[in-house]
Amino acid sequence: MSRSVAYTSSPLLASKTPVWRSKLIVAAIALGFVGLAGRAAWVQVWGNDFFQKQGEVRFARTLELPANRGRILDRNGLMLATSVPAPSIWAIPEDVERDRAKLTQLARLLEMTPAELDKKLADEDKTFVWLKRQVDEPVAREIAGLSLKGIHQRMEYRRQYPEGEAAAHVVGFTNVEDKGQEGMELAFEKDLAGRAGSRRVIKDRLGRVVEDVGEQVPPLEGRDLQLSIDSKVQFFAYQKLRDAVIGNKARAGSVVVLDTLTGEVLALANYPSYVPGKRQNLSGEQLRNRALTDVFEPGSTMKPFTIGLALESGRVTPQTMINTAPGYVVIGGAKISDSHAHGMLSVQQVIQKSSNIGTLKIALQMQPREMWETFTAAGFGQKPQITFPGAVSGRLRPFKTWRPVEQATMSYGYGLSASLFQMARSYTVFAHDGQIIPATLLKTSQPATGVPVFSPKTVQEVRTMLQMAAGTGGTGPKAQTVGYSVGGKSGTAHKQVGKAYATNKYRAWFVGMAPIDKPRIIVAVMVDEPSAGKYFGGDVAAPVFSEVVQQALRIMGVQPDMSVKPQVVVNAVEESF
């Protein structure tokens, strides 16, 4: 009884609570519920789009579905470039399991030191970091076998190039994102790449796909590209060029092989080269496609065009005699000479002996405009119409600026410039009944239609002279090959260093065709700075021409037109610079 009295006598219980306070508390609670209901209504109804978007930003992702890049094939369907699966390794640094033994093993598989791996994983605020792109599948399987938390893989594609360095400058290469960077990989990027698809998904914080949302867009696969290149001819041409560059201690070299019926490029090679799949520490010397990007004064290989114009205009015949004595002339204060004094030479012998004096005396009978128009018609001074990055136009100055000495030097190939590719294409004039035909790096079965430069009669006469130049008494007898008749013109020129000509640096080349009566291929060879004692085109470039012609014609199934081994003169006539 006493305890009950104690409770009721407590001043706290005895005091009367005001009614307004209870109502205030109830009103506050009710207002809170109203606020929550209003907020819920705002989020779910009026502000739904905003909050939906914010949620998607944090968890929704659009995954790219990569298209499989198209293959690059040679003319016979052999693989020059193809894509293979190559997993890439990535990590979420904050989730990575810090097991030192496993991390050391992971670093070894990724071909990096533990310190380098630790550096990549140091920032734990990151939610994504690449560890290594495009590893081999066996390596990826070993990494997966480690079961390291926070280490993930993504499937990508890596380009493979079966022909390696032999076809590198034609095919080119892609970067780690599978985008074309050089060669045909770059030139036909849109066709080869196709179009990537997409997949809209919801991911959790660990990067795992929880749900697909929206419609999936499938990728459009890249188209295959078939080149005109014959991989067998390409490999052989590259091999012989490489041997010549190394054997002559030269700086570099290039070779081009053209089909005279279709204009197809059967081979285009340079040395030094590179392996497309291994491009670490490469220099511009290795990457440059010299056959298309480097220009030089073509020298004596221009003489057939000058003589062809004189024959076409009726100013001379093959038997017209030209007095080249005493072996030099002075024009505009400049002395021009032959390597030897030849005396009286027929027009045929002017080409056979490669006489500068004979050529310029014939050229000075013509107007500069005539020569300029002929050179232009043969493709000089114009960018080749070929789908390939970096092809250059060379240089041919307007005829109105030519002085007599410049007209004279241009007649035998000085004062203008061209690439080896341009030289090879220009000789289609002599191999295709006087027509210059377009060249292509894509396979075609249609005979090429050309633009007339000379008449068939003139071309036949010039071909006879080219055969003489590549035979006994000419400047290029080492171009002779077993079973096939050949014709062509060698060239040797001092290299320009600044505005002057170097006295001990040369470019040597040879451009010709075979079989000579009905030419099937044109082969152009250039060797830059041979320094092993020989530097004339007939000694350095002509042997490469000979070997490439013989092998290429056999691969193409062209029947030999000679039954006996031709006589080869060891000591060729030295050509004039």
Side-chain angles (χ1 to χ4, degrees):
M1 185 71 176
S2 59
R3 293 180 66 184
S4 176
V5 172
Y7 282 121
T8 57
S9 63
S10 172
L12 293 174
L13 296 175
S15 62
K16 187 176 181 180
T17 303
V19 176
W20 65 268
R21 184 180 297 176
S22 300
K23 292 181 177 180
L24 178 63
I25 292 172
V26 172
I29 293 172
L31 186 62
F33 275 109
V34 170
L36 289 174
R39 180 62 177 170
W42 172 260
V43 171
Q44 295 296 327
V45 183
W46 294 284
N48 182 263
D49 291 343
F50 171 79
F51 289 102
Q52 189 75 24
K53 184 177 180 180
Q54 291 301 308
E56 289 181 1
V57 167
R58 288 165 174 77
F59 299 104
R61 297 286 186 271
T62 299
L63 302 180
E64 182 181 276
L65 302 177
N68 193 13
R69 191 174 180 86
R71 302 171 300 168
I72 299 180
L73 311 171
D74 86 336
R75 65 184 301 103
N76 300 309
L78 297 178
M79 205 77 68
L80 297 178
T82 187
S83 295
V84 296
S88 291
I89 312 301
W90 62 281
I92 303 175
E94 64 179 343
D95 295 338
V96 173
E97 179 184 351
R98 302 297 170 171
D99 185 319
R100 178 47 55 187
K102 288 185 177 181
L103 288 176
T104 300
Q105 194 171 356
L106 175 63
R108 177 184 61 80
L109 291 170
L110 295 176
E111 297 179 335
M112 60 178 67
T113 65
E116 290 172 332
L117 179 60
D118 289 341
K119 186 176 180 180
K120 284 181 175 287
L121 299 174
D123 191 352
E124 295 189 358
D125 292 333
K126 288 185 177 180
T127 59
F128 181 92
V129 60
W130 284 117
L131 297 182
K132 189 170 183 180
R133 304 288 294 274
Q134 300 177 356
V135 302
D136 294 332
E137 286 195 329
V139 173
R141 286 195 294 270
E142 286 193 60
I143 292 174
L146 294 176
S147 300
L148 258 173
K149 182 182 177 183
I151 304 298
H152 306 276
Q153 298 186 17
R154 176 182 174 183
M155 184 57 68
E156 295 187 311
Y157 290 99
R158 178 172 58 194
R159 211 66 165 155
Q160 284 190 344
Y161 302 93
E163 292 301 312
E165 60 186 16
H169 289 105
V170 175
V171 179
F173 58 85
T174 61
N175 61 11
V176 72
E177 302 293 342
D178 216 21
K179 304 296 182 184
Q181 301 296 296
E182 291 286 347
M184 301 301 276
E185 292 274 32
L186 174 59
F188 288 87
E189 167 64 20
K190 290 184 179 179
D191 295 320
L192 290 165
R195 186 174 64 243
S198 61
R199 176 189 175 196
R200 190 74 173 164
V201 300
I202 299 295
K203 284 188 173 184
D204 65 12
R205 63 180 296 275
L206 297 178
R208 297 173 298 195
V209 175
V210 176
E211 181 184 0
D212 282 289
V213 293
E215 185 178 351
Q216 179 173 310
V217 179
L220 180 64
E221 304 297 349
R223 285 171 28 195
D224 289 347
L225 182 68
Q226 188 162 26
L227 305 186
S228 60
I229 296 295
D230 186 310
S231 58
K232 293 180 181 178
V233 177
Q234 176 77 22
F235 179 78
F236 189 84
Y238 171 76
Q239 196 175 47
K240 293 305 176 183
L241 174 71
R242 179 193 61 194
D243 293 346
V245 171
I246 295 173
N248 287 284
K249 297 181 180 179
R251 179 180 178 184
S254 301
V255 59
V256 178
V257 182
L258 288 182
D259 187 318
T260 64
L261 299 183
T262 61
E264 293 172 293
V265 180
L266 301 178
L268 189 156
N270 300 277
Y271 186 84
S273 184
Y274 62 95
V275 178
K278 299 178 181 179
R279 301 186 299 277
Q280 295 81 5
N281 304 318
L282 287 181
S283 65
E285 292 284 303
Q286 293 169 287
L287 288 172
R288 197 163 76 245
N289 191 338
R290 299 169 184 273
L292 282 161
T293 64
D294 285 18
V295 295
F296 52 86
E297 291 177 309
S300 296
T301 53
M302 286 298 296
K303 290 174 182 176
F305 293 97
T306 303
I307 300 303
L309 174 58
L311 293 168
E312 187 79 5
S313 63
R315 288 183 172 89
V316 298
T317 69
Q319 286 72 42
T320 300
M321 300 303 294
I322 307 295
N323 186 7
T324 66
Y328 67 88
V329 295
V330 177
I331 303 176
K335 183 179 180 180
I336 300 172
S337 61
D338 283 337
S339 58
H340 301 333
H342 297 296
M344 295 296 292
L345 293 176
S346 68
V347 171
Q348 285 184 329
Q349 291 174 316
V350 167
I351 292 293
Q352 181 188 30
K353 306 295 183 183
S354 195
S355 169
N356 292 344
I357 305 304
T359 304
L360 71 85
K361 283 191 172 183
I362 294 171
L364 291 177
Q365 299 177 32
M366 300 179 284
Q367 295 298 315
R369 179 170 184 168
E370 294 178 86
M371 291 177 57
W372 182 86
E373 288 177 345
T374 298
F375 292 173
T376 300
F380 296 102
Q382 302 176 64
K383 186 175 180 179
Q385 298 301 306
I386 186 170
T387 308
F388 198 91
V392 295
S393 60
R395 183 169 180 260
L396 177 63
R397 291 187 292 113
F399 65 89
K400 291 182 179 180
T401 66
W402 293 10
R403 296 174 297 168
V405 65
E406 291 168 332
Q407 182 181 354
T409 57
M410 285 190 190
S411 72
Y412 58 87
Y414 280 81
L416 70 158
S417 63
S419 67
L420 187 69
F421 184 85
Q422 284 179 300
M423 290 305 307
R425 178 177 174 249
S426 71
Y427 267 59
T428 62
V429 170
F430 305 119
H432 204 268
D433 292 331
Q435 296 180 344
I436 184 167
I437 60 176
T440 179
L441 277 162
L442 301 179
K443 183 180 179 180
T444 178
S445 58
Q446 298 299 319
T449 301
V451 177
V453 178
F454 297 134
S455 67
K457 178 178 180 295
T458 296
V459 166
Q460 185 60 55
E461 292 171 343
V462 173
R463 280 211 299 262
T464 298
M465 298 177 194
L466 293 175
Q467 187 174 20
M468 293 171 62
T472 303
T475 58
K478 291 181 182 179
Q480 293 291 307
T481 188
V482 177
Y484 299 99
S485 60
V486 302
K489 190 70 190 72
S490 59
T492 311
H494 289 286
K495 289 187 66 173
Q496 271 191 300
V497 179
K499 294 184 178 181
Y501 288 98
T503 57
N504 60 346
K505 292 183 179 181
Y506 305 90
R507 277 194 179 96
W509 54 88
F510 192 94
V511 185
M513 62 202 68
I516 194 63
D517 288 334
K518 292 183 179 180
R520 190 68 174 80
I521 60 171
I522 291 170
V523 177
V525 181
M526 186 275 291
V527 179
D528 188 13
E529 291 188 28
S531 59
K534 298 178 180 179
Y535 53 83
F536 285 110
D539 291 325
V540 176
V544 180
F545 169 90
S546 171
E547 293 175 307
V548 172
V549 162
Q550 184 170 332
Q551 189 68 17
L553 290 176
R554 286 180 177 176
I555 290 172
M556 295 168 69
V558 177
Q559 292 298 314
D561 65 334
M562 295 178 64
S563 58
V564 295
K565 183 177 180 180
Q567 181 181 359
V568 176
V569 179
V570 177
N571 296 318
V573 175
E574 291 185 359
E575 55 196 288
S576 302
F577 289 105

